[in-house]
Amino acid sequence: MVLYQACSKIICSENQTNIRLDFDVKEDFDRLKISFFYYPKVIEDSKAALKIARDCLKKYGESTYSVQQNLPIKNLVTISIDSPSGYIGAAHRQDSEQTHIISRDFSSAGFLKSEIEKGRWDVMLNVHSVSCDIHYEIKIEGEKANELSSL
């Protein structure tokens, strides 16, 4: 059962922020499946990428790195999850397409094994770096043991 689904955009002014997405679990589920995708991963505009690299090197006073060493410029958005009882974990991965499982018996790397409690859950989009507007899709599904095709 789909508990939450969104297609939206993160704009450059939201760089280095967190975006909270909350959803309610109103039924008993054996696991949550979180599917997350964003694009573009890499800044394709070479002029813009060079400017970003130069600006960052200047900002941080780095003189030992060349601009070319900092290319390609990549966007990075990760997720963290809180249950009604607190922090479940985070997936700080470079992949722009991710699927994570939360359950009592198994959870994806970075997340605690956890009962799927009824109540308000939060998924935080951790916007580490966006150098252009990006589009994202997220879908959170509650699954029951008798509905699972594979773990």
Side-chain angles (χ1 to χ4, degrees):
M1 166 186 279
V2 175
L3 303 175
Y4 183 88
Q5 188 166 8
C7 296
S8 193
K9 178 165 66 168
I10 299 172
I11 59 175
C12 288
S13 63
E14 293 174 295
N15 188 44
Q16 297 179 339
T17 65
N18 294 306
I19 300 168
R20 181 181 306 276
L21 309 172
D22 55 14
F23 63 97
D24 292 313
V25 173
K26 296 178 182 177
E27 296 180 35
D28 291 324
F29 293 106
D30 294 298
R31 75 180 197 173
L32 293 180
K33 178 180 175 184
I34 300 99
S35 303
F36 177 62
F37 170 74
Y38 67 92
Y39 64 92
K41 176 63 178 174
V42 175
I43 307 301
E44 299 294 334
D45 181 338
S46 59
K47 280 187 175 183
L50 285 169
K51 181 179 180 343
I52 292 165
R54 284 188 194 108
D55 290 349
C56 285
L57 290 172
K58 183 178 178 182
K59 178 180 178 178
Y60 294 106
E62 293 292 340
S63 59
T64 57
Y65 296 101
S66 75
V67 171
Q68 294 300 323
Q69 286 177 295
N70 290 280
L71 298 176
I73 301 294
K74 297 178 183 177
N75 293 309
L76 178 61
V77 180
T78 64
I79 67 170
S80 57
I81 300 172
D82 291 297
S83 74
S85 295
Y87 185 72
I88 298 293
H92 287 189
R93 309 215 193 347
Q94 289 289 331
D95 296 338
S96 61
E97 187 170 350
Q98 303 177 22
T99 300
H100 304 288
I101 302 297
I102 306 295
S103 78
R104 179 188 68 231
D105 299 320
F106 169 84
S107 287
S108 298
F111 298 101
L112 299 170
K113 294 177 186 173
S114 176
E115 295 285 341
I116 308 306
E117 301 174 62
K118 291 180 183 175
R120 176 68 43 104
W121 287 66
D122 293 314
V123 171
M124 191 72 69
L125 301 183
N126 310 116
V127 185
H128 298 274
S129 179
V130 291
S131 297
C132 67
D133 293 352
I134 65 168
H135 298 274
Y136 74 87
E137 298 176 22
I138 188 166
K139 181 164 70 168
I140 302 165
E141 299 171 273
E143 299 179 330
K144 297 181 181 186
N146 61 350
E147 300 169 343
L148 299 176
S149 56
S150 66
L151 284 177

